[in-house]
């Protein structure tokens, strides 16, 4: 990797991302930036380029926590600091790896020395390294939830706390938080999204000329990083000075009552939760004014702040795409706008390419070729007096056709309409309303990733026992440690009140919590399920289970079977949103190759077991149990089910059979799988209280049979 970062001003397009980063550099209180977009869109490159623009940081000499000499942290673990010794160093950019441990993030406390010597021997973590700099988290949506919680808590409070069995350490941790993510790999929870101040969508340009310019600049940089950076040094210097000037001007920016009324009206009209959005919008609008060289906030600043601060706060469920209705936004701003709104001040001389390139002069300096991008990604090149900035609307979710009116002469759903193998392909049917489902869990005790479904040994949860440490001690079991050390005090020559503790005495807590599982859906999309009313109910049930999987931190996969084969419609992924999209567009019709669906599930689970052996699977088969196509379809289905049952795969069959005549085939399938069967009504959380006990009981009986 080149030692010279790619210049920030040399990036082609990505104006919204650059603007958001610059606003946070001016006002870190905004709360950071979340960048959503496809891979390969220079997200990391832009963040690294910003670091070179940050002013040097004065620090107390020798302080591991980068205390400010002008106002040292009174609680600094390396303090108290005496006046005098200080130095300046460049601002840091610290990267948090996805696989980082809690100790690596917040720091580690030497429990042995704390107990035996009574000293707080603390090794700083990444939060301390990032203090007064930039903390960059690539793929933030793949971080474990408890790490995201710690990270965002520190960002909100400006401090990090480490607690280990009554021993507490606190240090300042104020940083510009930048997270990037690919939505295809799973979303952040809405409450975590809300903790990021601003969010932007990025995408690679589809314009050949702009793509050529991106490649040309990158090749020039790779060939001669120092020379390439030197060619952009003047632009970098001007932008650095403009950031410093905006920082100095920010305390003088005035938020008038009319502007605050507009901000409150916008947040109320878009029904965002809580007051954080109002505060973030106010800070963002103030930073935009300072960036434009003004001391008054204008309506265009409020509009731009709303486009950056509100889209990710509009989500009401995991399947909602971020977005904002700009026509509605303009209407609200006009309705609550001040009658005597002053004319915008002329743009000050700032970075290269300054001009009327965005509302409130808020756009960052543009490339020499004039390429820009809108809020949702890059657009085609345009002359500077015609730079597009209207945010394109996110594509709306396709609406499934309305169910056809009921035919009073139609046959019952349990009779001829559902005869196996009848009917051609039918268009997708909209899913019914989702509902809260019963928790289906995997029997036994696992050791998988933290989640909220099945019982497991985890790093967080209730303490169930103690053991000798396996690696670095992080969760001390104090009572067990004292009990192990007590018999040896005389032999160790204890003479005072303190306890003489050796490393062999230390015990760590064994904790039990819950894990996330791999929930693999096998969905019957054949002609026997094609009745519109029933398929809508089935899709509603699967959608409800997908929502449940999202809340319980599961990975999900989806297999569908119809006609003559089974298809892996969604490989196992953390993106529950992708599962909902596949479900919505699922057509029906044809024969019912149930055996093929079960065999495909067996193959998928085999591969996933090799990839992640600790994540236990839960198989959810959604079918009426009918099986057609080929010789002896019921026999082949029974064999495939017994194969899965023999391997101990926990399974639930959601029985979709309806009508006056019921064959009970789904119940027979559940017996072959050694799982349990539930009807659509029983799947609801308020229906049958014994559902989870049934699933566990089936698993216990299965374990007993295998042991026998």
């Amino acid at each position: 990797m080149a030692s010279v970062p790619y210049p920030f001003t040399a990036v082609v397009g990505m104006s919204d991302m650059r603007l958001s980063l610059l606003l946070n550099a001016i006002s870190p209180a905004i709360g950071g930036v979340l960048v959503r977009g496809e891979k390969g869109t220079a997200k990391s490159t832009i963040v690294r380029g910003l670091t070179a623009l940050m002013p040097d940081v004065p620090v107390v000499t020798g302080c591991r926590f980068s205390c400010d000499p002008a106002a040292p942290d009174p609680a600094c673990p390396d303090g108290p600091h005496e006046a005098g010794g200080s130095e300046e160093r460049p601002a840091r950019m610290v990267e948090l790896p996805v696989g980082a441990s809690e100790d690596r993030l917040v720091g580690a406390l030497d429990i042995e020395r704390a107990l035996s010597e009574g000293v707080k021997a603390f090794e700083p973590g990444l939060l301390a390294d990032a203090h007064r700099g930039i903390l960059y988290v690539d793929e933030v949506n793949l971080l474990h939830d408890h790490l995201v919680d710690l990270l965002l808590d520190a960002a909100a409070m400006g401090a990090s706390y480490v607690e280990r069995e009554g021993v507490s350490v606190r240090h300042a941790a104020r940083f510009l938080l930048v997270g990037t993510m690919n939505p295809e790999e799973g979303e952040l929870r809405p409450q975590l999204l809300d903790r990021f101040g601003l969010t932007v969508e990025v995408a690679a340009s589809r314009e050949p000329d702009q793509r050529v310019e991106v490649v040309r600049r990158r090749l020039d940089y790779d060939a001669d990083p120092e020379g390439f950076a030197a060619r952009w040094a003047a632009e970098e210097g001007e932008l650095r000075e403009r950031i410093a000037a905006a920082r100095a001007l920010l305390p003088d920016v005035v938020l008038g009552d009319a502007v605050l009324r507009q901000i409150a009206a916008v947040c109320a009209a878009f029904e965002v939760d809580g007051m954080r959005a109002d505060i973030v919008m106010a800070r963002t609008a103030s930073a935009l004014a300072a960036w434009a060289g003004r001391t008054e906030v204008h309506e265009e600043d409020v509009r731009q702040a709303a486009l950056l601060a509100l889209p990710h706060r509009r989500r009401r469920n995991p399947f909602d795409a971020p977005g904002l209705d700009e026509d509605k936004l303009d209407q609200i701003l006009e309705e609550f706008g001040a009658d005597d709104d002053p004319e915008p001040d002329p743009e000050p001389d700032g970075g290269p390419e300054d001009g009327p390139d965005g509302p409130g002069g808020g756009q960052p300096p543009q490339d020499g070729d004039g390429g820009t991008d809108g809020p949702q990604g890059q657009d085609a090149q345009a002359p500077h007096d015609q730079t597009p900035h209207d945010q394109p609307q996110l594509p709306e979710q396709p609406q499934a056709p309305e169910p056809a009116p009921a035919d009073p002469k139609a046959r019952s759903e349990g009779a001829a309409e559902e005869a196996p193998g009848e009917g051609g392909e039918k268009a997708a049917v909209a899913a019914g309303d989702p509902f809260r489902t019963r928790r289906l869990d995997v029997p036994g005790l696992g050791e998988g990733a933290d989640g909220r479904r099945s019982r497991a040994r985890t790093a967080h949860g209730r303490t169930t026992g103690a053991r000798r440490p396996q690696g670095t001690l992080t969760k001390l079991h104090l009572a067990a440690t004292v009990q192990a050390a007590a018999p040896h005090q005389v032999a160790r020559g204890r003479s005072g009140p303190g306890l003489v503790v050796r490393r062999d005495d230390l015990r760590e807590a064994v904790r039990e919590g819950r894990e996330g599982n791999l929930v693999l859906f096998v969905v019957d999309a054949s002609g026997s399920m094609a009745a519109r009313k029933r398929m809508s109910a089935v899709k509603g049930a699967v959608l409800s289970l997908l929502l449940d999987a999202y809340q319980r931190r599961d990975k999900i996969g989806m297999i569908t079977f119809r006609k003559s084969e089974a298809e892996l419609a969604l490989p196992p992924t953390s993106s529950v949103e992708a599962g909902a999209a596949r479900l919505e567009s699922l057509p029906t019709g044809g024969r019912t190759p149930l055996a093929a669906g079960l065999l495909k599930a067996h193959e998928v689970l085999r591969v996933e077991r090799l990839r992640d052996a600790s994540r236990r699977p839960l198989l959810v088969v959604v079918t009426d149990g009918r099986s057609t196509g080929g010789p002896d379809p019921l026999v082949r289905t029974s064999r495939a089910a017994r194969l899965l049952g023999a391997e101990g795969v926990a399974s639930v069959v959601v029985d979709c059979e309806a009508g006056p005549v019921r064959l009970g085939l789904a119940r027979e399938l559940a017996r072959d799988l050694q799982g349990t069967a539930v009807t659509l009504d029983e799947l609801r959380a308020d229906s049958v209280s014994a559902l989870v006990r049934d699933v566990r009981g089936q698993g216990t009986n299965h374990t007993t049979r295998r042991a026998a």
Side-chain angles (χ1 to χ4, degrees), residues 292-306:
R294 290 186 267 103
T295 57
E296 289 186 356
V297 176
H298 294 169
E299 180 177 304
E300 59 266 27
D301 300 322
V302 177
R303 185 182 194 279
Q304 181 67 23

Side-chain angles (χ1 to χ4, degrees), residues 466-468 473 475-477 480-481 484 504-509:
R467 65 184 179 189
R468 292 183 181 274
L473 176 65
K475 305 293 182 183
L476 178 73
H477 195 296
T481 298
D504 289 344
D505 301 328
L506 298 178
R507 298 292 184 271
E508 69 178 5

Side-chain angles (χ1 to χ4, degrees), residues 688-708:
V688 179
S689 61
L691 178 60
V692 175
R693 291 198 299 272
D694 289 345
V695 177
R696 289 177 174 170
Q698 291 287 347
T700 303
N701 295 337
H702 171 61
T703 303
T704 304
R705 286 194 295 270
R706 292 188 66 184

